[in-house]
Amino acid sequence: MSLPNAFTLFRIILIPIFVIIFYMPFHSSGLIASIIFTIAALTDLLDGYLARRLNQFTDFGAFLDPVADKLMVATALVLLIEHYPSIWFTLPALIIISREILISALREWMAEMGKRTSVAVSKVGKFKTTLQMIAIIIILAQTSLNLTWLGILGFGALYISTGLTIWSMLIYLKVALPDFKGSM
């Protein structure tokens, strides 16, 4: 197993630990969960860097890396929906999770047609993912710290990342539109 793939698997292994810590009945559980999520986000950067630097790209890694990202983000958003049971948090979380499912399905469909590279990750998509992870880290920490300015920062980042989520989804759908029309 390559080192980048080991980091990706490590990120997936962190998910149940992250969930357990989040639900622990002590005041700093959100802050510790935020630290675990940060470690996962950093391993995402590290595995991509190592794959490029060590020339260790694998089909398994290409499949698993985005899955690990989506699992971490979706898990965190679902946990936070419970903590912030409001339309103002639920709606952006729903948009983010729905977009991830839709674009994953779109990539699979395009791959079956031999056109996977036409829906490769864009710069907007990478920036969206980075901002989502930053927003989640801040909001997770906020559940323990309860600082007004931190909440404003985290929710602001969440809303901007939601806008980028919609934008990147539209970019992917626009690229795939000719193939949709040809398949109907």
Side-chain angles (χ1 to χ4, degrees):
M1 173 178 299
S2 71
L3 188 57
N5 288 348
F7 277 118
T8 301
L9 286 172
F10 175 69
R11 206 158 62 247
I12 292 171
I13 291 167
L14 281 178
I15 293 171
I17 297 166
F18 166 73
V19 172
I20 291 166
I21 294 296
F22 183 82
Y23 281 113
M24 294 301 288
F26 51 90
H27 178 71
S28 59
S29 62
L31 184 58
I32 295 168
S34 176
I35 292 167
I36 292 169
F37 192 90
T38 301
I39 291 167
L42 292 174
T43 63
D44 182 29
L45 289 173
L46 188 58
D47 69 23
Y49 170 78
L50 289 173
R52 287 185 298 279
R53 180 87 171 142
L54 302 174
N55 197 25
Q56 292 187 342
F57 292 101
T58 65
D59 290 338
F60 179 70
F63 157 74
L64 196 60
D65 182 64
V67 170
D69 296 343
K70 289 166 184 30
L71 288 172
M72 279 298 296
V73 167
T75 299
L77 289 172
V78 168
L79 294 177
L80 288 167
I81 286 170
E82 182 180 3
H83 190 81
Y84 296 104
S86 146
I87 187 73
W88 304 111
F89 187 84
T90 303
L91 188 58
L94 178 64
I95 290 169
I96 291 167
I97 293 169
S98 297
R99 180 261 184 212
E100 296 305 334
I101 294 168
L102 176 66
I103 298 305
S104 292
L106 176 66
R107 284 190 180 123
E108 184 176 329
W109 181 68
M110 295 295 282
E112 287 179 15
M113 295 176 38
K115 298 183 179 185
R116 179 158 177 90
T117 56
S118 65
V119 286
V121 177
S122 69
K123 290 185 189 238
V124 173
K126 288 183 180 189
F127 185 65
K128 171 228 26 130
T129 299
T130 301
L131 194 55
Q132 278 177 3
M133 291 191 177
I134 290 168
I136 290 168
I137 289 165
I138 293 169
I139 296 168
L140 283 165
Q142 171 64 7
T143 64
S144 292
L145 300 175
N146 203 21
L147 302 169
T148 302
W149 67 269
L150 192 61
I152 292 169
L153 182 65
F155 279 87
L158 178 70
Y159 274 87
I160 293 169
S161 72
T162 302
L164 290 170
T165 295
I166 294 167
W167 182 18
S168 70
M169 178 181 66
L170 293 174
I171 290 169
Y172 290 124
L173 291 175
K174 182 180 176 186
V175 168
L177 187 61
D179 294 306
F180 282 142
K181 289 180 179 177
S183 296
M184 294 180 158

